[in-house]
Amino acid sequence: MDTFLAVCRHRNYTRAAEELNITQPAVTQHIQYLQSYYGVKLFSYQNKRLALTEEGELFLQYANQILDLVNKS
């Protein structure tokens, strides 16, 4: 989930990798795993820019809710 949130913040796999101190292929692998696990596409490219799909927007909302719950504990 941390990888997904970093990609959402940066809208860039390379910058997300730099933030997380992992490789860009690792970021790609994490996102592909999430997409495969949930059976949805989370990101798409629009005009050469990375954008969230509708499913990605929904997943982002759930991810933020989970983080809020964890932080309140």
Side-chain angles (χ1 to χ4, degrees):
M1 189 168 328
D2 289 334
T3 303
F4 172 76
L5 292 171
V7 174
C8 288
R9 277 192 297 278
H10 297 286
R11 305 290 186 191
N12 183 290
Y13 281 40
T14 302
R15 288 190 196 115
E18 290 169 356
E19 175 188 326
L20 298 168
N21 294 313
I22 60 175
T23 65
Q24 183 272 328
V27 170
T28 301
Q29 188 176 31
H30 292 177
I31 298 302
Q32 287 174 342
Y33 173 80
L34 286 172
Q35 293 180 139
S36 174
Y37 185 83
Y38 290 106
V40 296
K41 189 168 177 139
L42 299 171
F43 296 97
S44 66
Y45 281 94
Q46 298 174 353
N47 300 322
K48 298 184 181 184
R49 300 201 72 175
L50 193 62
L52 283 165
T53 61
E54 287 183 36
E55 294 86 355
E57 291 281 355
L58 186 60
F59 192 79
L60 178 59
Q61 290 175 17
Y62 287 127
N64 284 326
Q65 288 176 3
I66 290 168
L67 281 179
D68 288 344
L69 290 172
V70 169
N71 290 334
K72 289 180 182 177
S73 297

